[in-house]
Amino acid sequence: MLDATFIFVWPTLAGPMDGPAIRVRDVKRTYESRKGFFFQEKVRTEALRGVDLEVARGELFGLLGPNGAGKTTLVKVLSTLLLPTSGSVEVLGIDVAKDPRRVRPRIGLVLGGERGLYNRISARENLRYFSDLYGVPPSQQGRRIDEVLATVGLTEAADRRVEEFSRGMKQKLHLARGILHEPELLFLDEPTIGLDPKSAREMRKLIRSLVAKGVTVLLTSHYMFEAEELCHRVAVLSRGRIVARDTVQGLRRLVGGDRTMEVEGYGFDDAELRALKALPGVSRVVTEEFGPRQRLTLRIRSMDLTTGEVAGLLRAHRGLEVKERRTTLEDVYLDLVEEEAS
Ligand SMILES: Nc1ncnc2c1ncn2[C@@H]1O[C@H](COP(=O)(O)OP(=O)(O)OP(=O)(O)O)[C@@H](O)[C@H]1O
Ligand SMILES: [Mg+2]
């Protein structure tokens, strides 16, 4: 899964004196909205409930979490669109609450979805408009627009109206818009949402190429394999709190093992589940039902336990299947989110 051409450059390029790209301390963000008859009822949603986070310069950092976890809220706070209710947020060494205007020219933001582009005009005209908005000097606009169109692979389509664009092309144009002013730090909220596998792969390649040029990227995703493929470090956000933050490898160790075994069969009983849990090296057993069939997922710490031993313990079962695979980030994520919920 890991793309061999991608080499993560641990951010030493900028030097230790420059400090991290992002430093978030105990950030809370509450939304107040109204609902009910004549919107009289006040509703408070604590979207962020004390987030601490540090992202180094040059890093490609992934923020994962289920729907409603607070990912977009955090991205908006970091990119000066929303003020935190409390806590401190420094981006490129600048306090975003005190000095958002100094932050904005140095960051890029790409929020997913269809909004934010003008459909009736061409890609190039869109980029020209945003160049003005972002203060790209007029003398440099033509060159810069050509550059970003080439970067995202839209040179051929540059003069077509955006309404004719596919979703993947629109997403590329969003990215082009986000990097027009050569930001040092780029926020990408679900950059591959709704893209087909090929377009998603192209988008990931683009993201890697930006990081290779020294841009720091913080991206959010629901797709665990995407974070696994792209990011060196990830944080898992659940209900407004970071429940884990580590390298993909580190997260695997945290939830108890690099190895996962899947056992499928009928009618496993509690005694058998207890016996499996008691096997040396087994850190976790999760049971799922598929109609009459059950699947047991075993997280395994030791290298010694074999699928044969597990099968031996359950040999009374007909139609038993025991397979081994590598623990994916998705497993890790589900374990973490489940632990948080229980
Ligand atoms: N403008 C708003 N007004 C009120 N509540 C909001 C607003 N925006 C978000 N929320 C709430 O804040 C919480 C966090 O939402 P947020 O959009 O940050 O989550 P998310 O992790 O980005 O989710 P998703 O994966 O679905 O994009 C949710 O409970 C959401 O309902
Ligand atoms: Mg979101």
Side-chain angles (χ1 to χ4, degrees):
M1 187 64 82
L2 213 70
D3 189 331
T5 58
F6 171 56
I7 300 164
F8 179 80
V9 184
W10 187 254
T12 48
L13 302 172
M17 297 304 287
D18 294 359
I22 298 171
R23 182 185 277 143
V24 172
R25 293 272 154 81
D26 198 21
V27 159
K28 299 184 178 153
R29 181 48 157 97
T30 306
Y31 290 105
E32 297 205 344
S33 50
R34 289 174 175 275
K35 68 169 191 181
F37 193 58
F38 281 120
F39 300 99
Q40 279 174 328
E41 202 182 322
K42 262 194 186 170
V43 191
R44 282 167 57 87
T45 310
E46 288 184 289
L48 299 175
R49 302 191 293 165
V51 170
D52 293 286
L53 183 70
E54 228 170 81
V55 175
R57 292 193 197 228
E59 194 170 5
L60 174 38
F61 192 93
L63 196 59
L64 300 174
N67 289 130
K71 301 179 298 295
T72 300
T73 303
L74 184 57
V75 165
K76 286 183 174 170
V77 167
L78 291 170
S79 57
T80 80
L81 288 188
L82 283 179
L83 278 172
T85 308
S86 66
S88 75
V89 183
E90 269 179 32
V91 167
L92 302 168
I94 306 163
D95 185 324
V96 295
K98 289 194 187 129
D99 223 349
R101 285 178 193 198
R102 270 178 62 217
V103 177
R104 283 180 198 140
R106 296 174 60 186
I107 61 170
L109 171 64
V110 181
L111 294 174
E114 296 277 309
R115 289 185 309 162
L117 296 171
Y118 293 92
N119 278 317
R120 301 284 179 85
I121 57 176
S122 71
R124 194 188 300 280
E125 285 160 340
N126 266 277
L127 294 175
R128 180 145 326 257
Y129 169 78
F130 288 108
S131 300
D132 281 337
L133 202 66
Y134 297 159
V136 179
S139 61
Q140 292 172 23
Q141 285 184 5
R143 180 189 56 83
R144 186 64 196 144
I145 290 169
D146 284 341
E147 258 172 31
V148 295
L149 283 166
T151 304
V152 302
L154 283 179
T155 304
E156 304 280 293
D159 298 305
R160 278 170 58 191
R161 275 147 67 117
V162 172
E163 63 193 358
E164 297 170 20
F165 277 22
S166 71
R167 201 160 180 172
M169 291 163 82
K170 281 186 186 163
Q171 193 60 6
K172 286 178 179 172
L173 185 55
H174 270 297
L175 184 64
R177 190 198 44 138
I179 58 174
L180 257 179
H181 54 303
E182 299 184 80
E184 294 154 62
L185 170 59
L186 192 59
F187 297 101
L188 304 173
D189 196 16
E190 301 189 40
T192 62
I193 196 157
L195 300 188
D196 68 35
K198 187 167 168 279
S199 310
R201 194 179 307 153
E202 282 172 20
M203 182 57 69
R204 287 196 289 274
K205 205 170 151 194
L206 267 172
I207 296 168
R208 281 196 289 259
S209 73
L210 291 168
V211 174
K213 285 183 195 154
V215 180
T216 308
V217 173
L218 181 134
L219 65 86
T220 76
S221 181
H222 288 128
Y223 306 123
M224 304 311 130
F225 72 91
E226 180 163 286
E228 183 157 27
E229 194 185 304
L230 275 179
C231 304
H232 184 250
R233 283 198 312 146
V234 292
V236 178
L237 201 60
S238 174
R239 300 187 201 172
R241 287 206 178 90
I242 288 181
V243 294
R245 158 200 10 235
D246 210 328
T247 58
V248 172
Q249 273 301 326
L251 281 187
R252 278 210 193 92
R253 279 194 296 273
L254 182 75
V255 295
D258 222 8
R259 300 172 67 205
T260 292
M261 282 186 205
E262 282 180 355
V263 181
E264 284 191 25
Y266 300 93
F268 300 114
D269 60 32
D270 286 346
E272 285 169 326
L273 293 182
R274 277 198 300 275
L276 284 174
K277 270 186 199 154
L279 283 173
V282 173
S283 62
R284 190 176 161 86
V285 179
V286 182
T287 319
E288 290 167 284
E289 313 269 336
F290 296 95
R293 222 167 146 76
Q294 280 174 302
R295 181 193 292 154
L296 311 176
T297 305
L298 280 61
R299 211 74 72 218
I300 297 161
R301 278 183 212 276
S302 101
M303 290 311 289
D304 301 332
L305 188 68
T306 63
T307 49
E309 281 171 74
V310 172
L313 204 140
L314 303 167
R315 62 185 167 275
H317 289 267
R318 284 192 314 152
L320 187 77
E321 261 183 66
V322 184
K323 286 183 288 193
E324 174 163 0
R325 59 178 176 77
R326 204 165 157 234
T327 303
T328 64
L329 193 57
E330 178 130 17
D331 298 318
V332 173
Y333 167 80
L334 289 173
D335 283 1
L336 287 167
V337 174
E338 264 171 36
E339 265 169 37
E340 180 70 2
S342 60

